[in-house]
Amino acid sequence: MSLLRLPRAVPALRRSYATAANVAEAAGVKVVGIENGSRPSTTSVTVAIRAGSRYETTPGVANVLKNFAFKSTAAGSPLRTVRETELYGGVLSTAVSREHIFLTAEFLRGDEAHFLPLLASVLSSTQFLAHEYSELVLPTVQGEALAAAADPVAAAIDTAHQVAFRRGLGNSIYAEPTSPVTLDAVKQYAKAAFAKSNIAVIGQGISTEALAAAVESTFGGEGAGASSLATPASQYFGGEARIAFDSHANPTAQPTLVIAYGAAGAATPELSVLPHLLGGESSLKWAPGTSPLAQAAAKIPGASVRSFLTGYTDASLFGVVVSAPTAEAVRSLATEVAAAIKGAAAGVKDDELKRAVAKAKFAEATKLETADSLVAAVTPAVFGNATLDVASFDALSAAAVTKAASTLFSAKPTVVAVGNTHVLPYADELGL
Amino acid sequence: MVLLGGPTGISLVSQVKAFGLYNFLKPVANAYARAAGYRKVGLKYDDLLVEERDDVAKAISRLSAQESYDRVYRFRVAFQQDLMRRPLPKEQWVKAEDDVRYLTPLVEGVSKEIQERDSWDTVEVERKAI
């Protein structure tokens, strides 16, 4: 019995490294190093900048700024950056979310003396050359926007944010062909974004002390003081959007419907359990799961239903993604999803809740085990925002979850249909 | 046409400056530029750079929209004057102060990039002493 209990205790212990207590400050920048033993020979350093799409001054500028990373700096050309990284044996990558821009360097242990100045130079001395913008940056920006538009799920979730939150969090993380971004807008956004108070350095496979020492000696050229970027406090609106989608452009694309509900405030344990309660994806391969949504999806071959909860610092969005081979199948499946949502709002059974809590705890704990999800999970805590505590899931009661669900689902739903809009259902036809 | 010394040809300007001959030779250079006649048909010196080269073509693609338009317009004027076998009226000649090197810095930037790529392609790596 004690052996069975042991693995459950471990994630709760691991959770401790994301607390404010072990965030150091070096050169005015927040620093945290995580030595979790899963990276014996490599180190990954991520610079998180609080300048994601919700802070945008011009639509798409965050995506452009992300793609301007690792271009010409005072230290050297992009070619030099790439070739030196290859010689050291490293990987440079960038990502943008609705709240943060991430610049990541992964390298062999001991090479931080090369890679930290590289990351620092991106922040302090990127040149923003006009020809690099048109030759290197814009094609990538356009490609990302096109790829997202050709993926019905990505397009639907992006639009769902826009419908749910309108401004701020509603901003797309991709650039839009209808609103061009000028180079001057990028420069000004970068100047505002790269303020010291806006930057955190998160290391994996390196101790906080070692990382802080390296940051102290390399970071320093960034703008001092507070960031001038602002975002409106998130408010949930809800509504409907219908996107006609030409499936010839992407033969694997399926008609998709997203039903989402938003709530103000960061994700609570009650809300975090909800996607696991409704389920969707089976935890057992080749078998339909036991959750209500998975069983609904199993009736239609090739259909999939997935529920998700995306947490932000001041809002969270719960959603269900319904995809099926035909628009008619999406229509029938969406009606069942709506019924399952109503069922959850009406009352949650104890045994279902137990299963969902176990899955939610596992999902939260695995977030801290993989390199990519760890950065996204730890970043809000480094910036001093509240994060979920795995232990708090144990205290959940069926009544509390039912109450949270009925409050959430009583708001106006966000429904985004992508595909053949002549067949796909309207929001008021689903019985939500 | 193959040019020695890169897209802009051989230049002795650094030697001339080093020997203090700049002020002495400047009037000669000005007279040469006047005599060459390109200003009489509305062209600037950088319009004459051989553009059938990858580096110059790349540099031309980096001109701003306005510069690029002006360049094409100057060509149209020059072709027209050439067709009519007569120079522009004297007040429309390109003045010496307007004959700036708008393209050369870009061409130099491109050739620097090409040189850098070549040097990285042939770099010899030494293993760090551990």
Side-chain angles (χ1 to χ4, degrees), chain A residues 77 79 83-84 131 135, chain B residues 62 113 116-117 120-121:
Chain A
S77 66
L79 182 78
R83 293 293 171 94
E84 282 186 345
H131 70 267
E135 288 170 18
Chain B
R62 289 182 182 178
E113 278 173 28
E116 192 190 0
R117 183 169 287 275
W120 277 109
D121 282 348

Side-chain angles (χ1 to χ4, degrees), chain A residues 152 240-245 254-258 322-332 334 415-430:
Chain A
E240 186 173 17
R242 301 170 67 74
I243 304 168
F245 187 83
Q254 291 187 327
T256 301
L257 189 92
V258 168
V322 183
S323 299
T326 62
E328 288 83 0
V330 170
R331 171 190 276 272
S332 68
V415 178
V416 180
V418 182
N420 183 353
T421 46
H422 300 285
V423 182
L424 286 169
Y426 283 84
D428 50 15
E429 294 168 358
L430 294 172

Side-chain angles (χ1 to χ4, degrees), chain A residues 271-297:
Chain A
L271 290 184
S272 308
V273 162
L274 219 46
H276 300 282
L277 200 66
L278 287 168
E281 281 163 339
S282 170
S283 13
L284 189 62
K285 211 177 179 186
W286 308 123
T290 50
S291 62
L293 296 188
Q295 284 182 335

Side-chain angles (χ1 to χ4, degrees), chain A residues 313-378:
Chain A
T313 46
D314 62 349
S316 39
L317 189 73
F318 168 83
V320 183
V321 184
V322 183
S323 299
T326 62
E328 288 83 0
V330 170
R331 171 190 276 272
S332 68
L333 197 50
T335 320
E336 292 193 43
V337 169
I341 286 175
K342 285 218 140 168
V348 179
K349 291 196 194 82
D350 267 333
D351 58 331
E352 281 176 357
L353 180 69
K354 236 178 223 171
R355 266 206 300 266
V357 164
K359 276 171 100 174
K361 276 168 72 178
F362 177 73
E364 282 298 315
T366 21
K367 270 190 199 165
L368 303 177
E369 308 285 306
T370 58
D372 297 336
S373 56
L374 183 134
V375 169
V378 164

Side-chain angles (χ1 to χ4, degrees), chain A residues 247 250-254:
Chain A
S247 58
N250 176 6
T252 57
Q254 291 187 327

Side-chain angles (χ1 to χ4, degrees), chain A residues 79-427:
Chain A
L79 182 78
R80 181 195 169 101
T81 306
V82 170
R83 293 293 171 94
E84 282 186 345
T85 306
E86 284 174 351
L87 288 175
Y88 274 98
V91 179
L92 302 175
S93 57
T94 54
V96 64
S97 71
R98 278 170 211 284
E99 303 206 276
H100 301 105
I101 293 177
F102 299 105
L103 315 175
T104 304
E106 290 168 71
F107 46 87
L108 296 169
R109 278 207 179 205
D111 285 345
E112 56 264 21
H114 172 72
F115 284 95
L116 273 162
L118 177 64
L119 289 169
S121 73
V122 171
L123 301 182
S124 60
S125 67
T126 297
Q127 307 278 296
F128 298 107
L129 300 176
H131 70 267
E132 284 184 349
Y133 184 40
S134 57
E135 288 170 18
L136 304 174
V137 178
L138 270 185
T140 327
V141 171
Q142 284 167 340
E144 281 179 15
L146 278 177
D151 178 2
V153 176
I157 292 180
D158 206 51
T159 311
H161 278 85
Q162 207 169 354
V163 171
F165 300 112
R166 297 190 184 171
R167 298 180 186 84
L169 274 182
N171 292 348
S172 171
I173 49 174
Y174 305 103
E176 292 162 16
T178 46
S179 51
V181 182
T182 62
L183 187 60
D184 280 335
V186 184
K187 281 183 196 166
Q188 281 171 11
Y189 190 68
K191 207 174 162 210
F194 297 159
K196 276 180 180 173
S197 64
N198 225 19
I199 298 170
V201 182
I202 300 155
Q204 293 175 64
I206 185 168
S207 68
T208 302
E209 296 75 44
L211 188 61
V215 166
E216 189 74 57
S217 63
T218 52
F219 283 61
E222 302 76 35
S227 156
S228 54
L229 293 178
T231 178
S234 297
Q235 190 190 344
Y236 177 72
F237 293 92
E240 186 173 17
R242 301 170 67 74
I243 304 168
F245 187 83
D246 179 16
S247 58
H248 293 94
N250 176 6
T252 57
Q254 291 187 327
T256 301
L257 189 92
V258 168
I259 304 169
Y261 291 88
T268 56
E270 287 87 353
L271 290 184
S272 308
V273 162
L274 219 46
H276 300 282
L277 200 66
L278 287 168
E281 281 163 339
S282 170
S283 13
L284 189 62
K285 211 177 179 186
W286 308 123
T290 50
S291 62
L293 296 188
Q295 284 182 335
K299 289 178 199 159
I300 296 162
S304 71
V305 180
R306 180 172 67 85
S307 49
F308 65 88
L309 182 93
T310 326
Y312 300 102
T313 46
D314 62 349
S316 39
L317 189 73
F318 168 83
V320 183
V321 184
V322 183
S323 299
T326 62
E328 288 83 0
V330 170
R331 171 190 276 272
S332 68
L333 197 50
T335 320
E336 292 193 43
V337 169
I341 286 175
K342 285 218 140 168
V348 179
K349 291 196 194 82
D350 267 333
D351 58 331
E352 281 176 357
L353 180 69
K354 236 178 223 171
R355 266 206 300 266
V357 164
K359 276 171 100 174
K361 276 168 72 178
F362 177 73
E364 282 298 315
T366 21
K367 270 190 199 165
L368 303 177
E369 308 285 306
T370 58
D372 297 336
S373 56
L374 183 134
V375 169
V378 164
T379 306
V382 176
F383 280 116
N385 298 113
T387 46
L388 279 179
D389 185 7
V390 178
S392 64
F393 285 109
D394 289 322
L396 288 178
S397 70
V401 175
T402 308
K403 187 163 173 281
S406 60
T407 320
L408 181 71
F409 296 144
S410 63
K412 187 181 178 191
T414 299
V415 178
V416 180
V418 182
N420 183 353
T421 46
H422 300 285
V423 182
L424 286 169
Y426 283 84

